[in-house]
Amino acid sequence: MGRAPCCDKSRVKKGPWSPEEDTTLKNYLHKHGSGGNWIALPTKAGLNRCGKSCRLRWLNYLRPDIKRGGFTEGEDKVICTLYGTIGSRWSIIASQLPGRTDNDIKNYWNTKLKKKLLATNNMNTVDTNLSQFSDSIPKTETLHDQGTPSCFDGTLPYLKDVSSGQSFDPCTQISPSNPMEVNGFETREGKSFSIISPSQEVSSLPTSSGLGLENNYSIWSGNEGVDNVSGVLMPFGFEPPNDDLLDGFAEEGTRLGLRVLEPKDMATSFAKFNIRFGFQCAECSNLVTPHFAEKADEMTSTNKDSKILVD
DNA sequence: AAGAGTACCAACCGCGCTCAC
DNA sequence: CGTGAGCGCGGTTGGTACTCT
């Protein structure tokens, strides 16, 4: 049995709102608020509209604090950064831009900002770097044996939580003992770098949007489930092939960062989706494969029911 | 001037989640 | 614990304005 409709669609008015309807809705909400029940609101307010339609009209158009149009460079940047990191989670993006609605940002992205980004030099940078990745990614069988190239000695990136100072080295440790959020990356030599974050399907890499690869290191993961790995790579922040895995990477709330998993969870989630995780030196293109893959094999054979930890 | 194509954006649709019962 | 109502979200549609030929 399907869901019962929220109202009789054949009886309620659809389409653009008239100024009179706007006034009625605004007046009602100013006097009574939504009362936490949008479905009942149209009847009480004397509107021949679906409750959902009223809610949408209020949230996206009539609310007093709404800004319309005229996105600033700063707002563009926030949208790009967040989109690159978390993808099309418009409500989260909107929560970082006071006065902007998710619908407005979504429309702005789809109609203007995406094109604007494509036209910038940033895109060239990303494309160049992505093709560099594609060329350099090793075949599946070499990943296990890659080891740690000498160029990484002493400079291998590790993850550090800025607030707690807790860190871990992904090549010698699987992850910290407790889950944490990572605000940024640092090398042992003190170089800092940000997460690269284009967020598009792997298949559309050449035209994907992104923020540029500005650092000496980039994080990638290869998916050996597709075409035996070569040519398929996902710079960190790309949408993984499954939402469950994204849970492991997703930022939480307003903070950009990497969600670090419990060792067993990280290992099993990588194993589950055949993900290989590693770092690449942008200077020499050498790759480091932390021991997740091997560890994952162990973990999954003994603990198949492990859940990806989100909180 | 007129028709075609494109851009923009308000609004709708349907699904997943939450919560009360 | 199961069910259903309502909410919130992201994707999509459709109408209008604008631009091009």
Side-chain angles (χ1 to χ4, degrees), chain A residues 17-26 47:
Chain A
W17 281 65
S18 68
E20 291 76 26
E21 287 176 309
D22 283 348
T23 307
T24 305
L25 180 59
K26 242 195 293 193
L47 284 163

Side-chain angles (χ1 to χ4, degrees), chain A residues 154-174:
Chain A
T155 60
L156 190 68
Y158 66 103
L159 308 173
K160 184 173 185 179
D161 181 0
V162 171
S163 50
S164 72
Q166 189 183 12
S167 64
F168 86 98
D169 177 344
C171 277
T172 57
Q173 295 171 256
I174 295 299

